[in-house]
């Protein structure tokens, strides 16, 4: 019976854990402690059995934590996140220490500020409150939702988590990924290709990008506002040709192999096992390159550099000389009327600002747009790129897109917020699944309720506005708020403003206004005809709303 | 040891529940009873511990029930479903009591009939058997698979469960949802928009619908047979302009944000938190509408109405005056040769019956069809709308669609059934997953088997016929059976009849007939050339099959 | 207390199993043994209770095994797979015994060889190592990944497992399925249709295929290299019109109802419950075919044959007479300039070899291709079909497809291997999910690493090359290696060679070469300009690489 009893006991201990994990009664270590304590107090156990028991507790605990981490979709450092106050100052110090390694003052300062924001005492309470708000907000992504894919002293690439890892409500845009590339001054980014169609938008700096299309090389000098189309699998490389400024590129990617997951292939150099070439066995390389193994060994072996390196002044000059494609056909679309390579016309690239007036403009803001009509490659991804510059103290008009979903990233500015009207998120899934008495004649249900989704906006904040959801953004800081947006599923999209010139309530006839608002038409009109501006308005007064004229 | 023993015991009790739920040994309350009994007889427990134990039993039980309900895909009232006989009469009474609240005799009668069908003693046995059949039938949806999204005294909206909640076999059409809207006489349906492309089909009544397209308002007077295209995000509102008859609209929806899930946004009125406007904070509304918070408060606060309200005679008259779109371009498709607003031509709407002859017609039935060729918007959803009117006692020819899936709803008639040939459903998934000795030389496998899927058809029954699956429908009642169908993935679809004129067996050559049926050609022809009718046949004799001539 | 104790004990026993299965502590029968032993030693149990207990152990065990088998994605015979050495020789004997039943010497020999390969002692160690390699290789499928759907003495159909059952990395091509049909000499394949668009490629033999399109029958005499388009739902039947050679057809299927899952409907004959007709109830058939139940009974009942039967010489001759479609329009595309039925032109079929020169050709190999431009139906599935014949001792050039994924099957040859460069597979998913300190300034991450994926290639091996992944194939045996490929997502695809004429490294400018490879340009050119051949190269010397001239 003894053996059975022991077995029984182990089961019990494990069952406790299993049940706890299901019920989420205990979130922290107490659970593990309890489990291990139970092991140790067993009189019928010998030492080895006790150890085994403890080991199982730990294993179980670890696995549970991992599962939880995965569920939370790329949430980082769960431990740090829920850490106690006394751990915080330690983290702050560690974080700041890391910053000291940085050589450029500007970035070091930014780093320190971020550490403070993250671990500093004074902001901590606010931070916490805000985090909770974030936690319930499936539409906003912040620093911690990016993961660093490449990071060397000359640059880095940060990839935003899969949208659906944040919320199932975003699985409709899961085929897209968002990434940010930063190349330091004079950095050369190694030749690479990736299994995703991509749109690159330059948000800061000056560079030169080269695309290999079949047996031709094309060259583009790029700057802020350039929208560049990179078809999946196209080998590219580029340089930051400025001596001082960083080059920032925001990328919208649509993977072609695995939905929402892409891979980068470096097409040259790099130490062994880091180059696509050296993944092949030596015998294959010998035969393919018709070269002896020794020579190949020394050729590839010595390259011990990352995918970002520093280019010399001469190299940069040589590479940024504008090449004309030698009378050949352009990359895209194949029978283009204009020679490829003349960027800011139809071709591989288009500039949002150059030689164009904004599509919307007043004292309160400006909107620049480029869609499939102006730049054909955008038709492939069914995307429009927009760039909004909201004057400080101003706001965008509340409106909704009929069909398109907006993926927005704050690229400049210091402070702002957005609000969006959402059908109740909390009980949505259950509402949809479970249900009521069929054709319940007795009950009154007056349709969906709406709740306000809101979030603070800071540089690098990403927010999503699904189709048909009305929203506003407000610039509350001391600088204008600059927002880059990818509007996906743009085909046949219509923008419907809720207020200001052209708001759709004005289209209702008299009777509809009266029935819908339960007011006389004049009263409805008084409300909906006061605001005469279009698209950008002075913001709420408490945020220093300023007049447009 | 006592603490441990208690812990052990709780675990055991919970484990019993957990295992029961997995094994489905116990389906009813006995399980809960047992659990609670166990709690109460524990001598070593004090009162508080007993209570805690009981609470856990209940909590567990509730959660389990919810999980089960969710799994069964919107199945309602699981308790009522499995209830004992003595509970039934109680349910019947409750149900009928609800009906008495209804003010219109016609609906009250229907309500009572439904109660009787559901809870009445005399049908109960049959019902039970039929339910079991249904339970194994992934292709049929009944009343209980609809959930009521909105229900006021002036109308209601019922949404069919997600198709894949019924069966994984239907996940191919999961991007679509089906809903039914009923507006009572003189009801005004509030302005709203939704994040789904939609096709509305009017199956009864007379209404007027208004669409706001960008900065224009379009107006359509609608009646039975009208097929209306509503692009995602388009603000609409409408009235039932009849004094007596209800307005029934069947909707096929294709959500644009989250696959298979859509949200409705009411664009006006409604009490606080029920209007899209009032989801925004007051400061935003003040700035957006350039109006003081006080005025906004009183403007929105007083509106305490649902999304359906009653319109006066004058309001209805004013709204149903046919508006011509002032020479502007039609809603859809943008460069249309005909002015938008002339319904039953190319434009936003098309009538199935007006000025058209049926595509199939004989004494046994009529078929009306409209596809992308006749009504361009249908191309966007790749859908054809058909309306079959099967004479009582008759049946449709057995046929299959090569590529299209049929989503059918009974819109009129009293009684009928359908049969479909299906590759064995029971063991399908395992057949596909698990498998056999690779290239098993010794075994004989002669391919798939087929089983009959069948179901009774009553008003509001929805049934699905996947591509390539042959089926028939039979009208057995005292009335004709009227079936509205959405045939999705219609592109390049071909209809292949199995019997009657043009059946594809007649296309086999002599040798193929003989090899395939193991009979002389004359014998095969005798079987496949007897039936000369096309598409609609006299039904089986026991259901009073009547001759077509 | 006794009852409770018993209950408790059963729970414990079952819990042990449940936990074991979760923790994968015990993989084999010991678990079951233990469970049953526990049942038998219970003193408080009477005989019946012990039996019940044992039965539950077995049931649980069986279910667990099944679940595991399903999880492993169609892996067959898990028991045999992990079996002990002493079981192996038994398996070998069994396997060879099965072979003896085969009547044709050629196939019998192949069967014996396969048995040897699978169970033979001498290869066992290698085999094991290779299996392990396979196990970590998500891109290769072998015999055991096919399951036999139909197998009679006259032919068989083998279906490859769903791609994602092997690896989540393949879910991007999950909409496709691959199958192989083998029809023995003179076999007639019953009329059938299936709910999938399909491309058939004949890889051996001579046949005649008939397609029923609406009310017309079309006939094609088919042979090796024919690519045939079968739209979903089209009734077809065919014969192997050769007296000696088998007819092999490789099928690429794209299901239209359920993604990645298709069903076959036999449109005639077959014993009861095996024909689509006989799934309907008798009353329906009587009415539909206007024939008495007795006649129908005898008509369908007597047919007791599988879907493959033997055709007589006369029947074959009659059926293979080339029919011209009577002046009618071709099956596809509808307004075709050339009459349908003239195969090897635009129409339903196209021959890869007839009247065409290969698109690539030298002493080391030949490549034949047909894409949407040459054969319009391929545009619907967005597929290109290629046929590579690699001379023994030679290899294909390393290259990658920018957007297309290659699904390849070895159709002839004896031995070869392939290598592919892959971003690290092992830690991929975790890399993507979990992540690092956001914007981790202190850490160095130099991007992805690559690993070699490689596999032996034998007849019927299927391998997948995702877009942007560079790879090579090498023919190492005594025969040429013939590979049939379906390249899916072919639109806008570009082939980028890594070596040989036109390799894309040659497109880098001087500075890029030097920065990327950290070498002087002349050194880079020495490596990348040695190989002058294109697409096919002499292979590695150890495999007898032979010169191309």
């Amino acid at each position: 019976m003894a053996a059975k009893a022991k077995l029984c006991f182990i089961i019990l201990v494990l069952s406790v854990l299993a049940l706890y994990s299901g019920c989420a009664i205990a979130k922290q270590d107490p659970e593990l402690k309890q489990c291990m304590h139970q092991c140790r107090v067993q009189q019928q156990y010998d030492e080895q059995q006790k150890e085994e028991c403890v080991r199982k507790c730990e294993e179980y605990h670890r696995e549970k934590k991992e599962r939880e981490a995965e569920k939370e979709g790329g949430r980082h450092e769960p431990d740090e996140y829920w850490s106690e106050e006394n751990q915080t100052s330690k983290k702050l110090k560690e974080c700041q220490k890391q910053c000291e390694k940085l050589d450029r003052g500007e970035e070091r300062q930014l780093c320190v500020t971020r550490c403070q924001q993250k671990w500093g005492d004074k902001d901590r309470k606010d931070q916490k409150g805000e985090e909770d708000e974030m936690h319930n907000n499936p539409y906003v992504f912040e620093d911690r939702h990016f993961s660093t894919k490449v990071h060397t002293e000359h640059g880095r690439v940060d990839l935003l988590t899969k949208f659906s890892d944040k919320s199932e409500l975003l699985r409709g845009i899961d085929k897209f990924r968002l990434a940010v590339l930063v190349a330091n001054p004079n950095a050369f980014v190694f030749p690479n290709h990736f299994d995703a169609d991509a749109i690159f938008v330059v948000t800061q700096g000056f560079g030169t990008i080269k695309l290999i299309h079949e047996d031709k090389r094309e060259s583009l000098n790029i700057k802020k506002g350039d929208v560049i189309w990179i078809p999946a699998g196209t080998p590219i490389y580029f340089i930051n040709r400025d001596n001082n400024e960083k080059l920032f590129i925001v990328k919208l990617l649509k993977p072609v192999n695995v939905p929402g997951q892409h891979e980068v292939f470096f097409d040259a150099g790099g130490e062994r096992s880091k180059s696509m070439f050296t993944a092949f066995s030596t015998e294959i390389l010998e035969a393919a390159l018709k070269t002896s193994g020794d020579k190949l060994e020394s050729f590839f072996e010595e390259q011990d550099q990352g995918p970002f390196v520093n280019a010399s002044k001469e190299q940069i000059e040589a590479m940024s000389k504008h090449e004309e494609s030698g009378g050949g056909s352009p990359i895209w679309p194949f029978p283009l009327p204009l020679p490829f390579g003349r960027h800011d016309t139809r071709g591989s690239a288009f500039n949002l600002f150059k030689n164009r007036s904004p599509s919307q403009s007043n004292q309160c803001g400006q909107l620049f747009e480029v869609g499939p009509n102006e730049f054909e490659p955008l038709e492939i991804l069914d995307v429009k790129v927009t760039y909004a510059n909201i004057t400080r103290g101003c706001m965008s008009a509340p409106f909704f897109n009929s069909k398109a979903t907006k993926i927005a990233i704050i690229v400049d500015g210091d402070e702002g917020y957005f609000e969006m009207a959402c059908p109740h998120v909390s009980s949505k899934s259950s509402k949809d699944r479970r249900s009521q008495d069929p054709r319940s004649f007795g009950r009154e249900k007056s349709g969906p309720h709406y709740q306000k989704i809101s979030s603070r906006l800071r540089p690098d904040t990403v927010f999503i506005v699904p189709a048909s959801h009305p929203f506003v953004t407000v610039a509350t800081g001391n600088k204008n708020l600059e927002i880059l947006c990818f509007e996906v599923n743009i085909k046949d999209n219509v923008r419907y403003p809720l207020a200001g010139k052209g708001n759709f309530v004005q289209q209702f006839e008299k009777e509809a206004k009266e029935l819908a608002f339960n007011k006389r038409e004049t009263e409805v009109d008084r409300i909906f005809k006061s605001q005469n501006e279009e698209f950008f308005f002075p913001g709420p007064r408490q945020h220093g709303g300023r007049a447009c004229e």
Side-chain angles (χ1 to χ4, degrees), chain A:
Chain A
M1 268 311 267
K4 204 183 68 194
K6 280 182 214 168
L7 182 64
C8 170
F9 180 70
I10 292 184
I11 298 316
L12 282 177
V13 169
L14 289 173
S15 299
V16 172
L17 283 169
L19 288 160
Y20 268 24
S21 82
C23 313
I25 289 169
K27 273 219 154 84
Q28 297 97 342
D29 297 340
E31 177 192 357
L32 176 60
K33 252 189 241 168
Q34 168 84 358
C35 178
M36 293 183 340
H37 175 70
Q38 295 285 353
C39 293
R40 290 195 196 103
V41 297
Q42 292 308 305
Q43 298 177 352
Q44 78 274 32
Y45 273 22
D46 61 30
E47 275 313 300
Q48 207 192 327
Q49 286 174 316
K50 285 182 187 173
E51 257 175 60
E52 175 68 12
C53 178
V54 165
R55 206 183 53 69
K56 285 216 174 116
C57 287
E58 287 166 340
E59 196 176 292
Y60 188 90
H61 183 71
R62 188 174 43 70
E63 279 173 24
K64 203 194 94 186
K65 284 285 172 194
E66 281 176 23
R67 274 198 311 277
E68 283 173 356
E70 262 184 35
K71 255 193 222 156
E72 288 176 16
R75 164 97 69 85
H76 312 303
E77 314 114 33
D79 282 338
E80 299 172 11
Y81 233 68
W82 301 101
S83 63
E84 298 302 311
E85 208 67 30
N86 60 351
Q87 288 194 7
T88 309
S89 56
K90 194 176 135 202
K91 291 286 179 189
L92 176 59
K93 272 179 211 156
E94 271 176 28
C95 181
Q96 290 176 338
K97 208 166 171 182
Q98 297 288 0
C99 297
E100 285 159 25
K101 295 182 189 162
L102 296 169
D103 48 351
R104 291 179 44 80
E106 174 208 32
E107 180 169 295
R108 202 189 310 134
Q109 191 46 48
L110 184 60
C111 175
V112 168
T113 309
R114 276 182 176 153
C115 291
Q116 186 61 32
Q117 277 174 1
K118 196 159 183 193
W119 301 114
D121 248 2
K122 74 170 168 53
D123 285 340
R124 207 173 149 67
K125 286 258 162 51
D126 286 2
Q127 191 84 14
K128 203 70 188 173
E130 195 184 331
E131 292 308 340
D132 290 350
E133 185 187 291
M134 288 298 99
H135 194 74
N136 292 322
N137 185 341
Y139 300 105
V140 175
F141 297 81
E142 302 207 305
D143 264 15
R144 66 197 157 94
H145 297 105
F146 282 92
S147 64
T148 302
K149 299 319 255 183
V150 181
H151 190 183
T152 78
E153 54 176 323
H154 301 296
R156 73 166 189 267
V157 178
D158 294 332
L159 178 68
L160 189 67
T161 185
K162 260 182 96 164
F163 293 111
S164 69
D165 280 349
K166 191 92 197 292
S167 165
E168 275 299 299
L169 290 171
L170 299 180
R171 67 176 197 274
I173 55 169
D174 239 3
K175 58 189 172 206
F176 293 104
R177 293 298 289 270
L178 195 73
V180 177
L181 177 143
V182 185
N184 288 355
N186 297 335
F188 172 77
V189 183
F190 268 38
N192 67 84
H193 71 277
F194 37 86
D195 57 351
D197 283 325
I199 292 166
F200 284 17
V201 181
V202 182
T203 58
Q204 185 189 307
F206 302 89
T208 299
I209 188 167
K210 314 271 172 165
L211 298 89
I212 311 290
H213 182 68
E214 308 204 43
D215 56 354
K216 285 188 299 295
R217 179 179 71 245
E218 308 291 345
S219 177
L220 296 169
N221 285 334
I222 54 176
K223 64 172 182 301
K224 181 172 169 174
D226 272 332
V227 179
I228 306 141
W229 163 245
I230 319 277
T234 304
I236 57 166
Y237 54 90
F238 49 101
I239 46 168
N240 178 344
R241 59 190 164 88
D242 198 80
N243 291 318
N244 300 301
E245 208 176 350
K246 291 187 177 195
L247 175 68
F248 279 84
I249 294 177
V250 178
K251 306 174 179 181
L252 182 76
L253 299 146
K254 190 184 170 196
V256 297
N257 279 320
V258 186
Q261 192 175 320
H262 74 291
E263 302 292 345
V264 180
F265 295 80
F266 284 98
D267 296 334
E271 50 182 316
R272 199 144 188 75
S273 92
K274 280 192 191 160
S275 155
M276 185 173 85
F277 283 100
T278 51
F280 290 103
S281 57
T282 305
E283 61 175 37
I284 290 291
L285 287 181
E286 284 181 313
L289 297 168
K290 227 176 160 178
T291 307
S292 77
D294 297 346
K295 282 189 195 154
L296 290 172
E297 189 91 2
S298 73
F299 183 78
F300 286 108
E301 203 64 48
E302 288 163 27
Q303 303 173 24
D304 190 13
Q305 348 167 58
F308 291 81
V309 294
N310 214 44
S312 72
K313 204 181 157 185
E314 295 72 30
Q315 287 172 319
I316 288 172
E317 254 172 39
M319 281 194 282
S320 43
K321 263 187 311 184
H322 201 340
E323 300 175 36
E324 288 295 328
S325 54
S329 59
I331 285 188
W332 182 270
F334 299 106
L336 256 197
L338 289 168
F340 170 80
R342 276 201 213 148
H343 96 249
D344 75 2
T345 58
R346 288 158 78 101
S348 269
F350 187 97
N351 191 283
L352 279 162
F353 311 123
K354 200 176 167 188
N355 303 331
R356 311 178 72 217
S357 40
S359 60
Q360 295 285 345
S361 180
N362 61 22
Q363 287 272 67
C364 282
Q366 286 191 309
L367 182 75
F368 295 90
E369 304 180 278
V370 55
N373 286 341
E374 295 86 29
F375 185 41
E376 246 181 291
L378 295 178
E379 197 169 353
I380 297 171
L381 297 196
D382 195 13
V383 166
K384 185 185 212 171
V385 180
T386 69
Y387 203 101
N389 184 333
I390 306 180
T391 310
R392 63 196 176 97
C394 290
M395 65 188 276
S396 65
F399 75 90
F400 64 84
N401 280 311
S402 67
K403 291 194 161 187
T405 292
K406 182 188 281 285
I407 301 171
I409 180 168
I410 308 299
V411 293
D412 208 357
D414 50 0
E415 189 74 39
Y417 68 99
F418 97 114
E419 289 193 4
M420 180 164 69
C422 258
H424 257 314
V425 171
S426 51
S427 55
K428 187 194 315 284
S429 61
S430 62
K431 214 199 270 175
D432 207 44
R433 290 279 164 85
R434 229 174 305 150
S435 43
Q436 288 69 28
D437 202 32
R439 312 298 164 93
S440 54
F441 294 100
R443 296 189 202 163
E444 281 292 317
K445 320 185 82 202
S446 49
H449 287 220
Y450 304 94
Q451 72 180 16
K452 181 181 71 182
I453 289 278
S454 73
S455 170
R456 203 170 146 191
L457 300 177
R458 286 174 296 193
D460 289 350
T461 302
V462 173
F463 64 95
I464 311 295
V465 183
S468 290
H469 287 56
F471 78 105
V472 293
T473 43
V474 188
T476 56
N478 293 315
K479 296 174 66 179
N480 287 6
L481 200 61
E482 298 186 30
I483 311 176
L484 170 68
C485 301
F486 298 98
E487 304 197 351
V488 303
N489 304 327
I490 195 66
K491 192 162 183 289
D492 298 332
N493 182 62
V494 177
R495 224 179 250 148
Y496 285 97
L498 272 65
K501 205 174 137 188
N503 74 70
F504 68 85
V505 172
Q506 291 179 346
Q507 300 302 322
F508 298 175
E509 66 231 284
K510 178 175 174 289
E511 293 77 18
K513 283 178 187 164
E514 296 187 347
L515 283 162
F517 290 99
N518 202 18
K519 292 275 186 303
R520 297 246 297 278
E521 188 183 23
T522 51
E523 287 177 80
V524 176
D525 286 349
R526 200 174 300 139
I527 297 290
F528 285 95
K529 287 186 171 167
S530 295
Q531 180 60 271
N532 291 315
E533 292 295 333
E534 196 177 355
F535 213 82
F536 296 105
F537 300 160
R541 243 162 305 161
Q542 52 270 58
H543 298 294
R546 51 154 61 191
C548 310
E549 308 184 29

